[in-house]
Each structure stands twice: as C-alpha cells, then as structure tokens.
Amino acid sequence: MTTLLELKNVSKYYSKDIAALSNIHFSIEEGEFVSVIGPSGAGKSTLLRCINRMIEASSGEVVFNGTNIRKLGRKGLRETRTQIGMIFQHYNLVTRLTVIENVLHGRLGYKSAVAGMLGIYSQEEKQQAIRLLEELGLSQHMYKRVDQLSGGQKQRVGIARALIQNPKMLLCDEPIASLDPGSSKIIMDHIKNISASYKITCLVNLHQVDVALKYSDRIIGVNKGEVVFNGKPSELTTDMIHKIYGSETGDLIFEAGERNAG
Amino acid sequence: MQVDIFLKKKLHNLSFILLLGTAVLGAIILTEYDVAKGFSSVPAAIQWALSNFYPDSESMEKFPDIFEKLVETVLISVAATTSGAALALLFAIAGSSTTQFNRFLGQVSRTIATVFRNIDMAVWSMILLFSFGQSAFTGYFALFFGSFGFLTRAFIESIDEVGDSSVEALRATGAGYFSIIFQSVIPSSISQMISWILFMIETNIRSATLIGILTGTGIGFAFSMYYKSLDYNAASLVVLVIVAAIFIIEWVSNYVRRVIL
Ligand SMILES: Nc1ncnc2c1ncn2[C@@H]1O[C@H](COP(=O)(O)OP(=O)(O)O)[C@@H](O)[C@H]1O
Ligand SMILES: [Mg+2]
C-alpha cells in the first residue's frame, strides 16, 4: 500500500481568531474509500477544498502523490487538479448546455487556452464521454439539456465529468445531500463501484452516519475543525458518534444502533 | 417601544408628503405655471392635432425620404448597441466578482461603467457635439457610450445571477481562465444578455429619434425639419412611421426572446 494523500498540520482561518480547520493531520492510501463525517459547520467542505486549493489553507502541507500541492505555481496546480475529480452537492453543471458537453468539460484541464475556449475535443475524448454516460445509465439523455434532468441524473453527469479527467482521486462534497433516498443509493453505489473498478481513491463528505458506515473503508470524524475520530467503521462507537456530532444527535444514534442490531 | 416605531414611520410618511406638496406648490409659483390653464388647453390641443396632424396624399410622396431616414436611424442604433455590447461584455467579465481577473481591475471597470451609465445619452450628445459637430457620429457615439454603461451593469448582473457554481467546478478540473469564461460563464448567461441587448436596441431607437433632433441627423431631424417648415402633415407621417417601427421592433425582439429563452 502506498500513500496517495497526506495532510500535515493543515489549518484554515477565515477570520483571525476562529479556526475553520486546526492542525488537520491524516493520510489516505491508494484505492481507499474514506468518508468525512461531522455536523454542518464542522469544516468538511473547507477540508476538501483545501486539498485541491479551491480554498487556500492558512498553514500546513498537503502532499498528493509525492508533491506538496501548497507549493505549486499556477501551472503545476492546474496539472495537479486534472488528477483530482470533484463532485458537488449541487452538481455545479452548466445547466443550459447538453449532458455530453458538460461531461467533456472534464477534459478542459488538459487543453490549451484556444482549444479550451473553442471547446475542441478529440474523437477519443468524445468516445470516452459516450462510454461513461452509457456506464452511468444516461445514454438516452446524452443530447438533452441538463436542466431537463432529475437531481440523481444531474449527479451522474457530475460523476462522468469527474471520471473523464482520468483522476487518481475523487473529492465528493456531500454528493447525496440534495437527493431522495432512492437516488442517493444509486449515486453512492456508482461512486463505490468506480472506486473499486478504476482503483480511484475517494474522499467523501457525508452528513449521514449510516451511509458512511455502509460504504467506507475508513471514517474520519470532524468536529469544530478538528479530527476527533479516524478509524474503521467497526470502531465507530455510539459514544464516538456523540463526540463527533456534539448535541446534534438523536436519530444519528438510532442509525448506529440499527447497524449493531443488523 | 413597538408603538414608537409605528408612530415614527407615520410621522416620516407625513413629513414626506408635506415636503412633496411644498415642492409642487413652490415650483408652480416660481414658474408662474397656471394649473387651470394648463388643463383647459388640453382639449384645444387635441382639436388642433386632429385638424392638422395627419398625413395627406402630398406628404405620402415624402415617404421614401422618411423611410430612408428611419432605416439610417435604426441601423445606427443597432450598430451602436451591438458594438457597445461587445465592449460591455469585456468590462462585465472584468467587473463581475465571479469572473474578475483581480479585485483592483474589477473595481476599475465597475467604476468606469458607472460613470458612463450615469451620464444621460442627451448629455453625451451635447458633449460629443463639440468633437464631431452635427453628424451621425455624434449620435452613434452618444448611443454607444450610453449602451456600454448600461449593458455593463446589466451583464454583470446576468453573470452574478447564474452564480459561480459551474465556475468552481471547472476551476477544480484544472481548466484555465479563458476556457472557464467561454465554456461556462458565457453559455450560462448569453440568453439573458441577448435579452438585454434587444431591450437596449428598442430603447436606443427611441433615444436616437430625440438625439437626431439635436445632431441634425436621421428621422429625428426629418421630423424637426418638417415641423419647423410648418409641414404638419409630413411631420405626422414621421411620427406614424416611428411608432410603427417601434412596434415592429418590439414584436421582433419578443419573438427572438421566446426562441432563445
Ligand atoms: N467563505 C467563508 N468565509 C468565512 N467563513 C466561512 C467560509 N466558508 C465557511 N466558513 C465557516 O467555516 C466553518 C466551516 O464551514 P464548512 O467547511 O462549510 O463546514 P461543513 O462543510 O462541515 O458544513 C463554518 O463555521 C463556516 O461558517
Ligand atoms: Mg459543507
């Protein structure tokens, strides 16, 4: 097993005295499926975005595939971002464009300014987009405008856009928080399958403990910008869930109880 | 405490109405405007218009001339709007907080746009009269500057309205600045922008008529020429042609809007 991602003492201050993240320290092995859980406002989104520098961390190191991302220049950062796919709670698609155009956007990181501006894609890239959409069950919707799709379908477009980057890692920020339970399961199954079949490392922010328990190799619990748990799903006790979620518990404990019963 | 707030609001409203009333009265007294006479002259004005202000067969002979002026005015308005829109798009991209290159340039371009927007087109034409004299250029540039200022503001709002979610996604893929602008920002906001351009063309054709009176060009000039030479029949034909043109353009732009939105 080789380490793909390592965070060393990463901190983030939005304002002077309140730390959104303080001294985050963990590493992720190649091919691992890791969930980050914690109450809203804990710093999950900030943590994910400090990895690909959508948000600049205040201090610390983010080592991805052997290079410290925080030291990279503009060009190096762009190159590294092509290796990291990102999936969002609100899909973040260009809704006025077609499904396949949105998928091909995942290739823009590899393009020169002119090719990118004009949207010039090679035949192989188009073929790959079509293959991915077939794999994700969207072949009938390929030429529809995205604003005509359901939430679950939009998220699958988001997944295809990330996959066409041929990434080493996927960062997923609450990918199912806006979906109904049925679509949520489909999306989580897709992400899990992708992780296994393409050997893509996944770091997934989740709000639901039961989902994290079901899909993850490892769970990281975050509270008030600090890692308070880092271990296997089987090690996540009810007490621990309490600690991660503070007072915001109730049904969460019930979910953990369910797992123990089943 | 709460009662106080309501009372305060009522007092505010009352004092505002009083202020407004005083201003109206003051203006009437200062300008020696006779309100009763103003209203009583309306029927006479209507009667005069009905008996003089209609096109007759003689004025119809001038129709080709008038039509040519109309086409000139419409073309100048369209040219000024579209070229203003092109410049406005650049400034809007530089000025919107989602797409700005950096904070300083963003502020600079927003400020420039605000200055241009707040100078009325009539004022622009007066200023430009000095440099270009009474020519079509004066009208063109007055419309160009006014459209540029207004459209920059409108385009910034169109871009902001779409939000930065897809911009964030494309940045995360490693896409460069220009790819993001052309693949995400413009496709997301283009139909809104076209709608604003159509609105601006309509407005500009109306303004162009008035500016034409000032600059001695286009359909506005045709009107003032006929009017001053007491050819009321021809002048009324000009007005009818303008009204018809405005309706046709409004109809066309509504049709385009339906298709693109
Ligand atoms: N752009 C920002 N500016 C200032 N504070 C922010 C910003 N984004 C997030 N925060 C704050 O940082 C903390 C962590 O937020 P976030 O990472 O979004 O948490 P989560 O994703 O776990 O809900 C919150 O207290 C939030 O208010
Ligand atoms: Mg979040």
Side-chain angles (χ1 to χ4, degrees), chain A residues 49 54 78 81-82 88 92-94 96-97 105 108-109 116-117 119 161 165, chain B residues 165-166 168-176 178-179 182-184 187-188 191:
Chain A
R49 282 171 175 73
M54 299 305 290
R78 275 190 58 189
R81 279 179 177 165
T82 62
F88 305 84
N92 295 20
L93 303 165
V94 182
R96 290 182 162 276
L97 295 180
H105 282 169
L108 288 174
M117 271 166 63
R161 179 178 62 190
Q165 291 177 232
Chain B
S165 74
S166 61
E168 183 190 25
L170 292 204
R171 270 206 315 135
T173 68
F178 290 103
S179 301
F182 279 82
Q183 297 301 324
S184 161
S188 304
S191 53

Side-chain angles (χ1 to χ4, degrees), chain A residues 181-201:
Chain A
S183 313
S184 295
K185 186 174 181 318
I186 294 173
I187 294 300
M188 285 311 294
D189 286 344
H190 274 304
I191 296 176
K192 183 76 183 173
N193 289 339
I194 286 156
S195 174
S197 58
Y198 293 93
K199 304 234 175 343
I200 296 175
T201 312

Side-chain angles (χ1 to χ4, degrees), chain A residues 59-71:
Chain A
S59 62
E61 278 181 42
V62 177
V63 182
F64 173 78
N65 206 20
T67 47
N68 182 0
I69 293 184
R70 293 205 56 224
K71 290 246 165 69

